[in-house]
Structure formats: structure tokens, C-alpha cells
Amino acid sequence: MKKNKITLIGITTLAVLAILLLIVNSRKSTLNKAETQFAINDTANVTKVFIANKQGDKVKLVKQEDGTWKLNDQYEATIENVRLMLFTAKNLQVWAPVQKAAHNNMVKRMATASNKVEIYQKVFFIDFWGMKFFPYEKCTKTYYIGDPTMDNSGNFMMMEGAKKIYIVNIPGFRGFISPRFSCLESDWRDHSVFRTKISQIKEVKYEMPKYPSESFKIQAVANRKFNLIRLSDNSIAPKYDTTKVIEQLMLFRSLKYEGTVSGMSPSKKDSIIRDNLFQITTLTDNSGKITKVKMYTLPEYLIKNQDKMDELELSYSKDKFYIIINDSKDMYVAQYFVFERILQPLSYYLVR
């Protein structure tokens, strides 16, 4: 009896496995290999990614020799977002083709609402048995990413030149992947203002235009040893709080702005630059690279009288301020909470 039971279990298990195998093979047979190879094998060889939509938004990400990525030939791209995008591109997997009943409507939808992705890689004219010669750049993948599925478990995607649309996702990830292929420049820009380790700092200068006696600079003289110098007379402070100095210098390893200012009129911007400057911070690293950041108070209007809502009083934000990096045309918003320690005057560091 026991032997028959074991045999029955074995037969049932084999039957289930056979059915599953038939389902998998059936699914595979319906997929066109040329239309479903969305994933790239080697992200290390990716040299450029171009993403665009029908509304005119576009980004170009180009890998630099030092491993960083350039955004639209102008800005540094945030490396975390690039790595996430490349990880996604490597692990894309087709879940299923779009059902016939919905296919034509989905084609029309993707024609107007999808992101086109072009991936370029370094390939070789000769690549045989491990021997690679004559490298060149080639567009190896071009596909369109459409809307998420109703359950947000994947995206509708289509290879360029293909006849069918497929539902594509990442194994083990429940969610849609289209945000990782954004064509908005703001989603890729690195928000770093300063990114310098304390061991790489040669000098930091703090200029306070309205309080010149509080202006100073910190110069490195040895490993974790610095001179604190008054800018008013170029004299070296005999005593200062070493801990405070080192703590604020360590912050320069990663200081980021909050966002880019957009929609500001030229006259308002000129007014802020003319009247609201409160500090200039200039960092010089050991290689001679200079990062100069001008900081401006952010004006805001407060209600002067609750009974008369139209009576406003000019004030300045206690949470945020404007910055301009290296005389760029762009203006950014930064938080006092993030930059607070590098906004302190000379007297804050002196020991009496």
C-alpha cells in the first residue's frame, strides 16, 4: 500500500512538471527572439544612452574616461541614477506579449506616449575566440517604453521595427521601470555643490561682504593641520577651535543643492544678485581646481496684518537660500540646514 502511494505521488509530480514544461515551451515559442531581446549583456561596454519623448524632452548620457557620466554635454550626471538605469537595462525580461484585443490600441498609445531609448556600446570589428580588434561605437539597442501595466508590475515595451508589444519587467521586482529611463534633464543632474575630501582641500575662503571683519580663510599646512587667517589684515589667528574647523571641512565631501530655479524673470534675478549676496565660499583643492559658490538670501513676503491680507512685509527665508556655482547662468535653491556649518563667521571658530 505504501509502495503504491509513493508511486502515485511520483507519477503526479512528473505529470505536473510535464505540464509546466509544456506551458513554458509554449510561451517561448510565441516569442520572437529578435523582438524580445531588450536586455544588454555587458553594461561595462555601454558608452552612451539617448532617451527622448514626443514632447521634445531628451537627455544624452555619455560615459567619460574617468568613469563619470556627462549629461547633455554640459552637466555631470548623478552616478546613482545612471547605475540604476544600467542595472535595469541589463535585467529586463519579457513577461508576456500584449493580448491581440488590446494590441492595436496600445500601438496608437505608444506612438504618442512613450520614451525612445537608444543604447550605444563599444564593439569590435574583429571579435573571435577572445581576440578583439578595432573597437568602435555602435547603437546596439533601440526600444520604446510605454505606460505601466494596470497592476504596475511592468511596462509595455516595443523594439524598434518590431510588430508586437510586450509586457516587460525585472524578475523579483514588483513595480514599473519607466522612471529609470526618464527623458527629463532634471532627473539626471548631479546636485553636488562640493564633493571634496578633507585630505584634498588646499584652501577654503569665506567672504562676508556685509561683515568684512568676519571674513576668513582656512589653509592646509599638514595632515589635518590648518591655519585660520583673517581676510581683513591677512593675520593668522593664534587660537581656534580645531574640532569645529575639522568638522566643517569634512562636510565638503558631500554638499548638495535642493533644486534648480526655473521661471524667474531676468529682472528679479538681477535684483537678487545685486542686493542679496551674503557669502562667497571658494574652495581650492590640491590639484588647483577652484569651486566658487555665491550665496544669496531668498526674499519672501509675509502677511503683515492678519486683518488686512493685502498688507505684505518683505522678509527672507530662514530655511532656504539661492546659490550660483562658478558664475553659472543657472541659479539653485539650497537649504540652510545642509550648509549651516559652512556659513559660520570667523568669531564662531576663535578661542578667547
PDB file of all heavy atoms in Angstrom, residues 120-154:
ATOM      1  N   TYR A 120      24.135  52.709 -26.740  1.00  0.00           N
ATOM      2  CA  TYR A 120      25.342  52.542 -27.555  1.00  0.00           C
ATOM      3  C   TYR A 120      26.403  51.810 -26.734  1.00  0.00           C
ATOM      4  O   TYR A 120      26.563  52.061 -25.532  1.00  0.00           O
ATOM      5  CB  TYR A 120      25.884  53.907 -27.992  1.00  0.00           C
ATOM      6  CG  TYR A 120      24.967  54.651 -28.937  1.00  0.00           C
ATOM      7  CD1 TYR A 120      23.843  55.322 -28.464  1.00  0.00           C
ATOM      8  CD2 TYR A 120      25.232  54.696 -30.304  1.00  0.00           C
ATOM      9  CE1 TYR A 120      22.997  56.013 -29.329  1.00  0.00           C
ATOM     10  CE2 TYR A 120      24.398  55.386 -31.183  1.00  0.00           C
ATOM     11  CZ  TYR A 120      23.278  56.038 -30.680  1.00  0.00           C
ATOM     12  OH  TYR A 120      22.459  56.711 -31.539  1.00  0.00           O
ATOM     13  N   GLN A 121      27.132  50.914 -27.395  1.00  0.00           N
ATOM     14  CA  GLN A 121      28.178  50.152 -26.728  1.00  0.00           C
ATOM     15  C   GLN A 121      29.446  50.115 -27.575  1.00  0.00           C
ATOM     16  O   GLN A 121      29.409  50.356 -28.785  1.00  0.00           O
ATOM     17  CB  GLN A 121      27.703  48.713 -26.473  1.00  0.00           C
ATOM     18  CG  GLN A 121      26.580  48.603 -25.466  1.00  0.00           C
ATOM     19  CD  GLN A 121      26.120  47.170 -25.271  1.00  0.00           C
ATOM     20  OE1 GLN A 121      25.285  46.675 -26.016  1.00  0.00           O
ATOM     21  NE2 GLN A 121      26.678  46.497 -24.265  1.00  0.00           N
ATOM     22  N   LYS A 122      30.537  49.813 -26.894  1.00  0.00           N
ATOM     23  CA  LYS A 122      31.800  49.615 -27.602  1.00  0.00           C
ATOM     24  C   LYS A 122      31.845  48.178 -28.107  1.00  0.00           C
ATOM     25  O   LYS A 122      31.758  47.230 -27.318  1.00  0.00           O
ATOM     26  CB  LYS A 122      32.996  49.882 -26.687  1.00  0.00           C
ATOM     27  CG  LYS A 122      34.342  49.746 -27.399  1.00  0.00           C
ATOM     28  CD  LYS A 122      35.494  50.118 -26.482  1.00  0.00           C
ATOM     29  CE  LYS A 122      35.728  49.071 -25.415  1.00  0.00           C
ATOM     30  NZ  LYS A 122      36.955  49.329 -24.617  1.00  0.00           N
ATOM     31  N   VAL A 123      31.957  48.033 -29.414  1.00  0.00           N
ATOM     32  CA  VAL A 123      32.058  46.708 -30.028  1.00  0.00           C
ATOM     33  C   VAL A 123      33.327  46.668 -30.875  1.00  0.00           C
ATOM     34  O   VAL A 123      34.048  47.675 -30.977  1.00  0.00           O
ATOM     35  CB  VAL A 123      30.809  46.395 -30.888  1.00  0.00           C
ATOM     36  CG1 VAL A 123      29.560  46.328 -30.023  1.00  0.00           C
ATOM     37  CG2 VAL A 123      30.629  47.443 -31.981  1.00  0.00           C
ATOM     38  N   PHE A 124      33.600  45.498 -31.473  1.00  0.00           N
ATOM     39  CA  PHE A 124      34.845  45.319 -32.212  1.00  0.00           C
ATOM     40  C   PHE A 124      34.559  44.766 -33.613  1.00  0.00           C
ATOM     41  O   PHE A 124      33.693  43.915 -33.791  1.00  0.00           O
ATOM     42  CB  PHE A 124      35.782  44.371 -31.465  1.00  0.00           C
ATOM     43  CG  PHE A 124      36.179  44.868 -30.102  1.00  0.00           C
ATOM     44  CD1 PHE A 124      35.377  44.626 -28.990  1.00  0.00           C
ATOM     45  CD2 PHE A 124      37.348  45.603 -29.932  1.00  0.00           C
ATOM     46  CE1 PHE A 124      35.740  45.089 -27.739  1.00  0.00           C
ATOM     47  CE2 PHE A 124      37.718  46.062 -28.685  1.00  0.00           C
ATOM     48  CZ  PHE A 124      36.913  45.813 -27.586  1.00  0.00           C
ATOM     49  N   PHE A 125      35.292  45.279 -34.574  1.00  0.00           N
ATOM     50  CA  PHE A 125      35.181  44.739 -35.931  1.00  0.00           C
ATOM     51  C   PHE A 125      35.612  43.275 -35.957  1.00  0.00           C
ATOM     52  O   PHE A 125      35.058  42.455 -36.688  1.00  0.00           O
ATOM     53  CB  PHE A 125      36.059  45.547 -36.902  1.00  0.00           C
ATOM     54  CG  PHE A 125      35.421  46.824 -37.350  1.00  0.00           C
ATOM     55  CD1 PHE A 125      35.877  48.041 -36.862  1.00  0.00           C
ATOM     56  CD2 PHE A 125      34.358  46.827 -38.251  1.00  0.00           C
ATOM     57  CE1 PHE A 125      35.294  49.230 -37.267  1.00  0.00           C
ATOM     58  CE2 PHE A 125      33.768  48.010 -38.663  1.00  0.00           C
ATOM     59  CZ  PHE A 125      34.233  49.226 -38.168  1.00  0.00           C
ATOM     60  N   ILE A 126      36.621  42.945 -35.152  1.00  0.00           N
ATOM     61  CA  ILE A 126      37.078  41.561 -35.054  1.00  0.00           C
ATOM     62  C   ILE A 126      36.878  41.106 -33.613  1.00  0.00           C
ATOM     63  O   ILE A 126      37.452  41.674 -32.678  1.00  0.00           O
ATOM     64  CB  ILE A 126      38.562  41.428 -35.450  1.00  0.00           C
ATOM     65  CG1 ILE A 126      38.757  41.838 -36.908  1.00  0.00           C
ATOM     66  CG2 ILE A 126      39.051  39.997 -35.218  1.00  0.00           C
ATOM     67  CD1 ILE A 126      40.206  41.812 -37.356  1.00  0.00           C
ATOM     68  N   ASP A 127      36.023  40.128 -33.392  1.00  0.00           N
ATOM     69  CA  ASP A 127      35.756  39.573 -32.068  1.00  0.00           C
ATOM     70  C   ASP A 127      35.610  38.062 -32.237  1.00  0.00           C
ATOM     71  O   ASP A 127      34.519  37.540 -32.476  1.00  0.00           O
ATOM     72  CB  ASP A 127      34.473  40.196 -31.491  1.00  0.00           C
ATOM     73  CG  ASP A 127      34.253  39.791 -30.040  1.00  0.00           C
ATOM     74  OD1 ASP A 127      34.973  38.904 -29.546  1.00  0.00           O
ATOM     75  OD2 ASP A 127      33.340  40.369 -29.406  1.00  0.00           O
ATOM     76  N   PHE A 128      36.725  37.366 -32.124  1.00  0.00           N
ATOM     77  CA  PHE A 128      36.735  35.932 -32.429  1.00  0.00           C
ATOM     78  C   PHE A 128      37.623  35.193 -31.440  1.00  0.00           C
ATOM     79  O   PHE A 128      38.808  35.516 -31.283  1.00  0.00           O
ATOM     80  CB  PHE A 128      37.239  35.709 -33.860  1.00  0.00           C
ATOM     81  CG  PHE A 128      37.257  34.277 -34.303  1.00  0.00           C
ATOM     82  CD1 PHE A 128      36.076  33.613 -34.572  1.00  0.00           C
ATOM     83  CD2 PHE A 128      38.464  33.602 -34.442  1.00  0.00           C
ATOM     84  CE1 PHE A 128      36.094  32.283 -34.971  1.00  0.00           C
ATOM     85  CE2 PHE A 128      38.493  32.282 -34.836  1.00  0.00           C
ATOM     86  CZ  PHE A 128      37.305  31.609 -35.111  1.00  0.00           C
ATOM     87  N   TRP A 129      37.027  34.244 -30.734  1.00  0.00           N
ATOM     88  CA  TRP A 129      37.760  33.404 -29.785  1.00  0.00           C
ATOM     89  C   TRP A 129      38.577  34.235 -28.776  1.00  0.00           C
ATOM     90  O   TRP A 129      39.745  33.963 -28.511  1.00  0.00           O
ATOM     91  CB  TRP A 129      38.689  32.434 -30.524  1.00  0.00           C
ATOM     92  CG  TRP A 129      37.955  31.255 -31.125  1.00  0.00           C
ATOM     93  CD1 TRP A 129      37.005  31.295 -32.091  1.00  0.00           C
ATOM     94  CD2 TRP A 129      38.106  29.885 -30.773  1.00  0.00           C
ATOM     95  NE1 TRP A 129      36.543  30.047 -32.386  1.00  0.00           N
ATOM     96  CE2 TRP A 129      37.218  29.127 -31.584  1.00  0.00           C
ATOM     97  CE3 TRP A 129      38.900  29.192 -29.870  1.00  0.00           C
ATOM     98  CZ2 TRP A 129      37.101  27.755 -31.509  1.00  0.00           C
ATOM     99  CZ3 TRP A 129      38.790  27.804 -29.797  1.00  0.00           C
ATOM    100  CH2 TRP A 129      37.893  27.118 -30.608  1.00  0.00           C
ATOM    101  N   GLY A 130      37.944  35.257 -28.242  1.00  0.00           N
ATOM    102  CA  GLY A 130      38.607  36.082 -27.245  1.00  0.00           C
ATOM    103  C   GLY A 130      39.518  37.152 -27.797  1.00  0.00           C
ATOM    104  O   GLY A 130      40.058  37.971 -27.055  1.00  0.00           O
ATOM    105  N   MET A 131      39.710  37.146 -29.095  1.00  0.00           N
ATOM    106  CA  MET A 131      40.556  38.166 -29.723  1.00  0.00           C
ATOM    107  C   MET A 131      39.679  39.323 -30.217  1.00  0.00           C
ATOM    108  O   MET A 131      38.750  39.103 -31.009  1.00  0.00           O
ATOM    109  CB  MET A 131      41.349  37.558 -30.890  1.00  0.00           C
ATOM    110  CG  MET A 131      42.331  36.474 -30.472  1.00  0.00           C
ATOM    111  SD  MET A 131      43.294  35.839 -31.874  1.00  0.00           S
ATOM    112  CE  MET A 131      42.001  35.009 -32.799  1.00  0.00           C
ATOM    113  N   LYS A 132      39.977  40.528 -29.738  1.00  0.00           N
ATOM    114  CA  LYS A 132      39.166  41.695 -30.086  1.00  0.00           C
ATOM    115  C   LYS A 132      40.054  42.804 -30.651  1.00  0.00           C
ATOM    116  O   LYS A 132      41.024  43.215 -30.007  1.00  0.00           O
ATOM    117  CB  LYS A 132      38.423  42.198 -28.850  1.00  0.00           C
ATOM    118  CG  LYS A 132      37.463  41.170 -28.254  1.00  0.00           C
ATOM    119  CD  LYS A 132      36.750  41.709 -27.021  1.00  0.00           C
ATOM    120  CE  LYS A 132      35.797  40.673 -26.454  1.00  0.00           C
ATOM    121  NZ  LYS A 132      35.065  41.185 -25.269  1.00  0.00           N
ATOM    122  N   PHE A 133      39.706  43.247 -31.853  1.00  0.00           N
ATOM    123  CA  PHE A 133      40.489  44.298 -32.502  1.00  0.00           C
ATOM    124  C   PHE A 133      39.558  45.339 -33.132  1.00  0.00           C
ATOM    125  O   PHE A 133      38.434  45.034 -33.523  1.00  0.00           O
ATOM    126  CB  PHE A 133      41.396  43.700 -33.587  1.00  0.00           C
ATOM    127  CG  PHE A 133      42.359  42.661 -33.086  1.00  0.00           C
ATOM    128  CD1 PHE A 133      42.071  41.304 -33.229  1.00  0.00           C
ATOM    129  CD2 PHE A 133      43.539  43.031 -32.456  1.00  0.00           C
ATOM    130  CE1 PHE A 133      42.947  40.340 -32.775  1.00  0.00           C
ATOM    131  CE2 PHE A 133      44.426  42.065 -31.987  1.00  0.00           C
ATOM    132  CZ  PHE A 133      44.133  40.725 -32.151  1.00  0.00           C
ATOM    133  N   PHE A 134      40.074  46.546 -33.240  1.00  0.00           N
ATOM    134  CA  PHE A 134      39.392  47.645 -33.924  1.00  0.00           C
ATOM    135  C   PHE A 134      38.044  47.996 -33.281  1.00  0.00           C
ATOM    136  O   PHE A 134      36.976  47.721 -33.832  1.00  0.00           O
ATOM    137  CB  PHE A 134      39.192  47.319 -35.411  1.00  0.00           C
ATOM    138  CG  PHE A 134      40.434  46.842 -36.106  1.00  0.00           C
ATOM    139  CD1 PHE A 134      40.512  45.549 -36.616  1.00  0.00           C
ATOM    140  CD2 PHE A 134      41.535  47.681 -36.230  1.00  0.00           C
ATOM    141  CE1 PHE A 134      41.658  45.101 -37.241  1.00  0.00           C
ATOM    142  CE2 PHE A 134      42.685  47.253 -36.879  1.00  0.00           C
ATOM    143  CZ  PHE A 134      42.749  45.965 -37.372  1.00  0.00           C
ATOM    144  N   PRO A 135      38.075  48.591 -32.088  1.00  0.00           N
ATOM    145  CA  PRO A 135      36.830  48.959 -31.400  1.00  0.00           C
ATOM    146  C   PRO A 135      36.138  50.153 -32.067  1.00  0.00           C
ATOM    147  O   PRO A 135      36.779  51.018 -32.653  1.00  0.00           O
ATOM    148  CB  PRO A 135      37.315  49.329 -29.998  1.00  0.00           C
ATOM    149  CG  PRO A 135      38.718  49.801 -30.198  1.00  0.00           C
ATOM    150  CD  PRO A 135      39.273  48.954 -31.309  1.00  0.00           C
ATOM    151  N   TYR A 136      34.830  50.177 -31.965  1.00  0.00           N
ATOM    152  CA  TYR A 136      34.043  51.317 -32.432  1.00  0.00           C
ATOM    153  C   TYR A 136      32.726  51.358 -31.669  1.00  0.00           C
ATOM    154  O   TYR A 136      32.322  50.377 -31.033  1.00  0.00           O
ATOM    155  CB  TYR A 136      33.796  51.235 -33.938  1.00  0.00           C
ATOM    156  CG  TYR A 136      32.891  50.109 -34.380  1.00  0.00           C
ATOM    157  CD1 TYR A 136      31.539  50.331 -34.672  1.00  0.00           C
ATOM    158  CD2 TYR A 136      33.387  48.806 -34.518  1.00  0.00           C
ATOM    159  CE1 TYR A 136      30.712  49.291 -35.079  1.00  0.00           C
ATOM    160  CE2 TYR A 136      32.562  47.769 -34.923  1.00  0.00           C
ATOM    161  CZ  TYR A 136      31.229  48.015 -35.207  1.00  0.00           C
ATOM    162  OH  TYR A 136      30.407  46.987 -35.600  1.00  0.00           O
ATOM    163  N   GLU A 137      32.057  52.492 -31.719  1.00  0.00           N
ATOM    164  CA  GLU A 137      30.792  52.661 -31.008  1.00  0.00           C
ATOM    165  C   GLU A 137      29.618  52.309 -31.920  1.00  0.00           C
ATOM    166  O   GLU A 137      29.573  52.724 -33.070  1.00  0.00           O
ATOM    167  CB  GLU A 137      30.657  54.108 -30.519  1.00  0.00           C
ATOM    168  CG  GLU A 137      29.431  54.359 -29.649  1.00  0.00           C
ATOM    169  CD  GLU A 137      29.349  55.806 -29.190  1.00  0.00           C
ATOM    170  OE1 GLU A 137      29.182  56.694 -30.061  1.00  0.00           O
ATOM    171  OE2 GLU A 137      29.458  56.063 -27.982  1.00  0.00           O
ATOM    172  N   LYS A 138      28.673  51.555 -31.366  1.00  0.00           N
ATOM    173  CA  LYS A 138      27.533  51.111 -32.165  1.00  0.00           C
ATOM    174  C   LYS A 138      26.262  51.166 -31.326  1.00  0.00           C
ATOM    175  O   LYS A 138      26.269  50.842 -30.135  1.00  0.00           O
ATOM    176  CB  LYS A 138      27.762  49.677 -32.641  1.00  0.00           C
ATOM    177  CG  LYS A 138      26.611  49.097 -33.444  1.00  0.00           C
ATOM    178  CD  LYS A 138      26.886  47.646 -33.816  1.00  0.00           C
ATOM    179  CE  LYS A 138      25.719  47.031 -34.579  1.00  0.00           C
ATOM    180  NZ  LYS A 138      25.961  45.609 -34.918  1.00  0.00           N
ATOM    181  N   CYS A 139      25.162  51.576 -31.943  1.00  0.00           N
ATOM    182  CA  CYS A 139      23.858  51.531 -31.291  1.00  0.00           C
ATOM    183  C   CYS A 139      23.386  50.080 -31.304  1.00  0.00           C
ATOM    184  O   CYS A 139      23.084  49.522 -32.359  1.00  0.00           O
ATOM    185  CB  CYS A 139      22.854  52.428 -32.010  1.00  0.00           C
ATOM    186  SG  CYS A 139      21.228  52.454 -31.222  1.00  0.00           S
ATOM    187  N   THR A 140      23.348  49.454 -30.128  1.00  0.00           N
ATOM    188  CA  THR A 140      23.031  48.025 -30.042  1.00  0.00           C
ATOM    189  C   THR A 140      21.583  47.748 -29.661  1.00  0.00           C
ATOM    190  O   THR A 140      21.093  46.639 -29.883  1.00  0.00           O
ATOM    191  CB  THR A 140      23.955  47.346 -29.018  1.00  0.00           C
ATOM    192  OG1 THR A 140      23.825  48.018 -27.750  1.00  0.00           O
ATOM    193  CG2 THR A 140      25.407  47.392 -29.471  1.00  0.00           C
ATOM    194  N   LYS A 141      20.921  48.720 -29.053  1.00  0.00           N
ATOM    195  CA  LYS A 141      19.520  48.539 -28.678  1.00  0.00           C
ATOM    196  C   LYS A 141      18.750  49.832 -28.936  1.00  0.00           C
ATOM    197  O   LYS A 141      19.214  50.931 -28.583  1.00  0.00           O
ATOM    198  CB  LYS A 141      19.375  48.190 -27.194  1.00  0.00           C
ATOM    199  CG  LYS A 141      20.031  46.892 -26.759  1.00  0.00           C
ATOM    200  CD  LYS A 141      19.271  45.673 -27.254  1.00  0.00           C
ATOM    201  CE  LYS A 141      19.979  44.404 -26.783  1.00  0.00           C
ATOM    202  NZ  LYS A 141      19.343  43.186 -27.354  1.00  0.00           N
ATOM    203  N   THR A 142      17.571  49.695 -29.513  1.00  0.00           N
ATOM    204  CA  THR A 142      16.647  50.813 -29.639  1.00  0.00           C
ATOM    205  C   THR A 142      15.245  50.284 -29.348  1.00  0.00           C
ATOM    206  O   THR A 142      14.770  49.374 -30.039  1.00  0.00           O
ATOM    207  CB  THR A 142      16.664  51.430 -31.048  1.00  0.00           C
ATOM    208  OG1 THR A 142      17.991  51.889 -31.344  1.00  0.00           O
ATOM    209  CG2 THR A 142      15.709  52.616 -31.121  1.00  0.00           C
ATOM    210  N   TYR A 143      14.638  50.800 -28.308  1.00  0.00           N
ATOM    211  CA  TYR A 143      13.283  50.359 -27.981  1.00  0.00           C
ATOM    212  C   TYR A 143      12.471  51.503 -27.391  1.00  0.00           C
ATOM    213  O   TYR A 143      12.996  52.569 -27.061  1.00  0.00           O
ATOM    214  CB  TYR A 143      13.291  49.147 -27.046  1.00  0.00           C
ATOM    215  CG  TYR A 143      14.206  49.239 -25.847  1.00  0.00           C
ATOM    216  CD1 TYR A 143      13.912  50.063 -24.749  1.00  0.00           C
ATOM    217  CD2 TYR A 143      15.360  48.458 -25.781  1.00  0.00           C
ATOM    218  CE1 TYR A 143      14.734  50.106 -23.646  1.00  0.00           C
ATOM    219  CE2 TYR A 143      16.195  48.496 -24.680  1.00  0.00           C
ATOM    220  CZ  TYR A 143      15.879  49.321 -23.613  1.00  0.00           C
ATOM    221  OH  TYR A 143      16.707  49.374 -22.530  1.00  0.00           O
ATOM    222  N   TYR A 144      11.171  51.254 -27.280  1.00  0.00           N
ATOM    223  CA  TYR A 144      10.230  52.250 -26.780  1.00  0.00           C
ATOM    224  C   TYR A 144       9.609  51.745 -25.482  1.00  0.00           C
ATOM    225  O   TYR A 144       9.174  50.592 -25.404  1.00  0.00           O
ATOM    226  CB  TYR A 144       9.145  52.523 -27.817  1.00  0.00           C
ATOM    227  CG  TYR A 144       9.687  53.086 -29.113  1.00  0.00           C
ATOM    228  CD1 TYR A 144      10.166  52.243 -30.122  1.00  0.00           C
ATOM    229  CD2 TYR A 144       9.745  54.461 -29.335  1.00  0.00           C
ATOM    230  CE1 TYR A 144      10.681  52.755 -31.302  1.00  0.00           C
ATOM    231  CE2 TYR A 144      10.257  54.980 -30.515  1.00  0.00           C
ATOM    232  CZ  TYR A 144      10.720  54.114 -31.493  1.00  0.00           C
ATOM    233  OH  TYR A 144      11.234  54.627 -32.658  1.00  0.00           O
ATOM    234  N   ILE A 145       9.565  52.615 -24.470  1.00  0.00           N
ATOM    235  CA  ILE A 145       8.976  52.264 -23.172  1.00  0.00           C
ATOM    236  C   ILE A 145       7.674  53.033 -23.015  1.00  0.00           C
ATOM    237  O   ILE A 145       7.656  54.266 -23.020  1.00  0.00           O
ATOM    238  CB  ILE A 145       9.929  52.601 -22.015  1.00  0.00           C
ATOM    239  CG1 ILE A 145      11.270  51.895 -22.205  1.00  0.00           C
ATOM    240  CG2 ILE A 145       9.310  52.204 -20.679  1.00  0.00           C
ATOM    241  CD1 ILE A 145      12.289  52.219 -21.139  1.00  0.00           C
ATOM    242  N   GLY A 146       6.578  52.289 -22.888  1.00  0.00           N
ATOM    243  CA  GLY A 146       5.268  52.903 -22.778  1.00  0.00           C
ATOM    244  C   GLY A 146       4.760  52.949 -21.353  1.00  0.00           C
ATOM    245  O   GLY A 146       5.532  52.963 -20.391  1.00  0.00           O
ATOM    246  N   ASP A 147       3.459  52.956 -21.204  1.00  0.00           N
ATOM    247  CA  ASP A 147       2.812  53.074 -19.892  1.00  0.00           C
ATOM    248  C   ASP A 147       3.047  51.840 -19.027  1.00  0.00           C
ATOM    249  O   ASP A 147       3.329  50.751 -19.538  1.00  0.00           O
ATOM    250  CB  ASP A 147       1.303  53.256 -20.070  1.00  0.00           C
ATOM    251  CG  ASP A 147       0.961  54.555 -20.791  1.00  0.00           C
ATOM    252  OD1 ASP A 147       1.679  55.544 -20.570  1.00  0.00           O
ATOM    253  OD2 ASP A 147      -0.018  54.566 -21.556  1.00  0.00           O
ATOM    254  N   PRO A 148       2.877  51.998 -17.713  1.00  0.00           N
ATOM    255  CA  PRO A 148       2.884  50.830 -16.830  1.00  0.00           C
ATOM    256  C   PRO A 148       1.626  49.991 -17.060  1.00  0.00           C
ATOM    257  O   PRO A 148       0.614  50.484 -17.567  1.00  0.00           O
ATOM    258  CB  PRO A 148       2.883  51.438 -15.422  1.00  0.00           C
ATOM    259  CG  PRO A 148       3.253  52.870 -15.593  1.00  0.00           C
ATOM    260  CD  PRO A 148       2.778  53.254 -16.953  1.00  0.00           C
ATOM    261  N   THR A 149       1.684  48.741 -16.678  1.00  0.00           N
ATOM    262  CA  THR A 149       0.502  47.891 -16.721  1.00  0.00           C
ATOM    263  C   THR A 149      -0.490  48.330 -15.645  1.00  0.00           C
ATOM    264  O   THR A 149      -0.143  49.105 -14.746  1.00  0.00           O
ATOM    265  CB  THR A 149       0.878  46.423 -16.489  1.00  0.00           C
ATOM    266  OG1 THR A 149       1.557  46.315 -15.224  1.00  0.00           O
ATOM    267  CG2 THR A 149       1.802  45.923 -17.589  1.00  0.00           C
ATOM    268  N   MET A 150      -1.706  47.837 -15.713  1.00  0.00           N
ATOM    269  CA  MET A 150      -2.746  48.232 -14.765  1.00  0.00           C
ATOM    270  C   MET A 150      -2.357  47.923 -13.321  1.00  0.00           C
ATOM    271  O   MET A 150      -2.697  48.662 -12.402  1.00  0.00           O
ATOM    272  CB  MET A 150      -4.066  47.524 -15.112  1.00  0.00           C
ATOM    273  CG  MET A 150      -4.724  48.027 -16.391  1.00  0.00           C
ATOM    274  SD  MET A 150      -5.306  49.735 -16.237  1.00  0.00           S
ATOM    275  CE  MET A 150      -6.689  49.502 -15.134  1.00  0.00           C
ATOM    276  N   ASP A 151      -1.640  46.822 -13.114  1.00  0.00           N
ATOM    277  CA  ASP A 151      -1.239  46.448 -11.751  1.00  0.00           C
ATOM    278  C   ASP A 151       0.153  46.959 -11.394  1.00  0.00           C
ATOM    279  O   ASP A 151       0.718  46.579 -10.358  1.00  0.00           O
ATOM    280  CB  ASP A 151      -1.300  44.931 -11.574  1.00  0.00           C
ATOM    281  CG  ASP A 151      -0.361  44.197 -12.529  1.00  0.00           C
ATOM    282  OD1 ASP A 151       0.278  44.867 -13.381  1.00  0.00           O
ATOM    283  OD2 ASP A 151      -0.257  42.964 -12.432  1.00  0.00           O
ATOM    284  N   ASN A 152       0.720  47.825 -12.257  1.00  0.00           N
ATOM    285  CA  ASN A 152       2.041  48.418 -12.007  1.00  0.00           C
ATOM    286  C   ASN A 152       3.150  47.381 -11.833  1.00  0.00           C
ATOM    287  O   ASN A 152       4.125  47.621 -11.118  1.00  0.00           O
ATOM    288  CB  ASN A 152       2.005  49.329 -10.780  1.00  0.00           C
ATOM    289  CG  ASN A 152       1.207  50.597 -11.028  1.00  0.00           C
ATOM    290  OD1 ASN A 152       1.122  51.071 -12.152  1.00  0.00           O
ATOM    291  ND2 ASN A 152       0.613  51.145  -9.976  1.00  0.00           N
ATOM    292  N   SER A 153       3.006  46.242 -12.488  1.00  0.00           N
ATOM    293  CA  SER A 153       4.012  45.196 -12.338  1.00  0.00           C
ATOM    294  C   SER A 153       5.024  45.181 -13.470  1.00  0.00           C
ATOM    295  O   SER A 153       5.939  44.362 -13.490  1.00  0.00           O
ATOM    296  CB  SER A 153       3.319  43.820 -12.274  1.00  0.00           C
ATOM    297  OG  SER A 153       2.618  43.564 -13.479  1.00  0.00           O
ATOM    298  N   GLY A 154       4.887  46.080 -14.428  1.00  0.00           N
ATOM    299  CA  GLY A 154       5.807  46.135 -15.558  1.00  0.00           C
ATOM    300  C   GLY A 154       5.421  47.262 -16.495  1.00  0.00           C
ATOM    301  O   GLY A 154       4.545  48.070 -16.182  1.00  0.00           O
TER     302      GLY A 154
END
